Amino acid sequence: MGEAVQRRLMGLTAVVAALGMTATLSGCGGETGSGKVTLELVAADYGTGSANSSEKYWNAVAAGFEKENPDIKVDVNVYSWKDVDREVAEMVKAGKAPDIAQIGAYADYAKAGKLYSADQMLAIRTQANFLPSLTDAGKVDGSLYGLPFVASTRLLFFNEKLFDQAGLDAPETWDDIQSDAAALKQRGVEYPFALPLGPEESQAETLMWLLSGGGGYTDDVGAYDIDSAENIATFRWLRDNLVGKGLTGPVEPGELDRAKAFEAFTKGQVGMLNGHPTLMEDAEAEGVDVGMVPLPGVDGPSEGSMGVADWMMGFKQNGNREAVGKFFDYAYSDENVLTFADQYDLLPVTGSASAAMETDTKHKPLRDFLAALPNSQLYPFGKTSWATASESIKKNIGDAVAPGGSPESVLGAIAAEATQAENAE
């Protein structure tokens, strides 16, 4: 049994033990519990249209919760991802914060003292059930404010048909990536390795490569370390060994957005790229046989993966602490967590739901992603400066791999902007 598997099983054992604990609300304050309460819930829409809108999911959750809690009503408001963070920000600014928000960031509200901490709202069993790698990213000053809602991890995807035709095995090291990409280019593959460092989501692609090179956005104590020697070496390698050798396709990485790279993969035009579960489903629906391996590192497969998560939070303004906590305890049941994750090809954020998904043969294609989640590293969501740092990465990182580009200068400038924003908090 491998060490990572042992760690994962030990983690699940701890979760099972924690679930045996008595479920009691901790913390004090909030409403007295008497009378009727109406909770306002604002959530993001993960669907692509009315047929799979998240509004249906939340209406069903609200109806089930209201049946069990007849004195609490839940008003559901779902907005598109491009609008939901702004809508919540405007509500808070106007003094009309929702009771519950499911959005992309929580740190600003936590730092401003507008959110309940988890231990003020949740039953012990609910808190104990979250995956530790996710709760670490939901903390500000040591307290959990951002409750993980759904998660995803990334793996290296490769087109099995193109690899078979070229007589290639799945890559395990950076050198393998380079030699495989060169062989694919020789056979006329349009994008031997698609490297989307354009402004859409290059902060994700960047982190995956930094982790595979032994670096990351922060150091062991959580301080920014964007221009570390490891990170500079990683981008030098990308510049010289992939981009500089013409192995990343016809679009410059700094101009290539993730959506375009993913679309090209589903059309069979890409040999390798970093992908997530939704791309796996989309590609296979188009007849592409998808191979998946952990992102190769310098000397072998990377130990850590990049994880992403979205967040739920409870606002203090209306004083509905107890009712909000009851709703969260209900919403985080295995049935609800698995229903949402299953509908949108995402990963559950709780230990018990992850264990259930792992043993369900229906979810076999997601097992590699599930295995990567406990050891994944997320963006430094707890920093309010992360929004500034992320924007700087999206705007500038492509220049680090451009012909004649200087990883030292680009990463140094991003680091300076991030540190300035951090010091201004």
Side-chain angles (χ1 to χ4, degrees):
M1 183 182 293
E3 199 172 276
V5 175
Q6 285 180 318
R7 281 199 302 271
R8 188 149 44 92
L9 291 177
M10 288 170 65
L12 292 178
T13 302
V15 166
V16 171
L19 291 178
M21 302 169 77
T22 304
T24 57
L25 279 166
S26 58
C28 55
E31 81 271 29
T32 62
S34 61
K36 292 188 177 291
V37 174
T38 298
L39 298 178
E40 183 170 6
L41 165 69
V42 175
D45 193 353
Y46 290 71
T48 54
S50 58
N52 66 345
S53 169
S54 300
E55 188 170 7
K56 292 181 178 181
Y57 170 82
W58 285 116
N59 284 337
V61 172
F65 175 75
E66 290 170 355
K67 188 174 180 179
E68 291 188 12
N69 300 271
D71 289 337
I72 306 175
K73 186 178 185 303
V74 182
D75 284 342
V76 173
N77 298 280
V78 174
Y79 297 92
S80 72
W81 264 115
K82 67 180 180 180
D83 298 325
V84 68
D85 286 271
R86 185 185 72 250
E87 290 283 347
V88 171
E90 290 175 355
M91 293 170 75
V92 172
K93 188 176 181 180
K96 299 177 179 178
D99 295 285
I100 299 165
Q102 185 274 298
I103 52 179
Y106 65 86
D108 282 337
Y109 302 124
K111 284 280 179 75
K114 295 182 182 297
L115 302 180
Y116 291 118
S117 63
D119 60 7
Q120 290 176 308
M121 299 182 292
L122 303 183
I124 293 171
R125 66 184 298 161
T126 306
Q127 289 190 67
N129 201 14
F130 289 124
L131 294 172
S133 61
L134 302 179
T135 53
D136 286 348
K139 292 178 179 177
V140 171
D141 297 330
S143 294
L144 180 64
Y145 292 96
L147 310 182
F149 177 60
V150 285
S152 183
T153 51
R154 304 290 168 87
L155 297 171
L156 179 74
F157 285 22
F158 60 94
N159 184 312
E160 289 193 333
K161 180 180 178 181
L162 296 178
F163 265 61
D164 288 344
Q165 289 172 345
L168 301 173
D169 295 323
E172 295 184 357
T173 66
W174 285 0
D175 286 345
D176 292 342
I177 288 178
Q178 180 190 348
S179 60
D180 290 352
L184 293 168
K185 181 183 180 182
Q186 203 167 23
R187 297 183 64 86
V189 175
E190 192 168 355
Y191 292 88
F193 194 107
L195 185 67
L197 294 176
E200 180 194 358
E201 205 197 25
S202 53
Q203 80 279 12
E205 186 73 18
T206 296
L207 180 55
M208 284 181 270
W209 281 100
L210 297 186
L211 291 172
S212 75
Y217 286 138
T218 56
D219 60 21
D220 291 340
V221 296
Y224 282 121
D225 200 23
I226 294 171
D227 59 345
S228 69
E230 292 85 356
N231 293 347
I232 290 170
T234 294
F235 269 80
R236 280 180 181 161
W237 187 89
L238 287 171
R239 179 196 64 189
D240 297 340
N241 294 281
L242 284 188
V243 182
K245 289 189 162 80
L247 301 177
T248 54
V251 180
E252 289 293 326
E255 303 296 323
L256 182 64
D257 282 340
R258 183 200 61 168
K260 291 295 184 185
F262 281 15
E263 182 183 355
F265 187 80
T266 64
K267 292 178 178 177
Q269 299 168 345
V270 174
M272 295 172 279
L273 51 56
N274 293 313
H276 56 51
T278 305
L279 175 61
M280 175 187 68
E281 298 279 348
D282 292 346
E284 290 180 346
E286 294 296 325
V288 176
D289 290 330
V290 183
M292 296 180 294
V293 292
L295 183 63
V298 178
D299 300 314
S302 300
E303 291 183 7
S305 170
M306 189 198 82
V308 293
D310 297 320
W311 309 96
M312 292 189 79
M313 60 213 72
F315 281 88
K316 291 180 177 178
Q317 183 177 322
N318 302 317
N320 291 327
R321 176 189 63 81
E322 188 174 342
V324 169
K326 286 181 178 178
F327 180 81
F328 282 142
D329 289 336
Y330 179 85
Y332 280 105
S333 71
D334 283 359
E335 181 183 359
N336 288 326
V337 170
L338 287 167
T339 296
F340 194 90
D342 192 34
Q343 183 172 355
Y344 297 107
D345 297 316
L346 293 164
L347 303 180
V349 296
T350 63
S352 57
S354 293
M357 180 177 276
E358 193 167 17
T359 57
D360 188 340
T361 54
K362 179 177 73 169
H363 295 115
K364 187 177 180 181
L366 293 176
R367 285 178 183 167
D368 287 342
F369 295 99
L370 284 166
L373 189 57
N375 293 320
S376 64
Q377 292 191 37
L378 283 73
Y379 303 135
F381 286 111
K383 294 177 177 289
T384 56
S385 59
W386 169 240
T388 298
S390 178
E391 283 304 310
S392 183
I393 293 163
K394 288 192 278 188
K395 188 187 307 180
N396 299 303
I397 197 63
D399 293 339
V401 298
S406 169
E408 297 95 326
S409 298
V410 173
L411 290 171
I414 294 170
E417 199 168 344
T419 302
Q420 183 178 3
E422 176 84 350
N423 294 337
E425 288 185 9

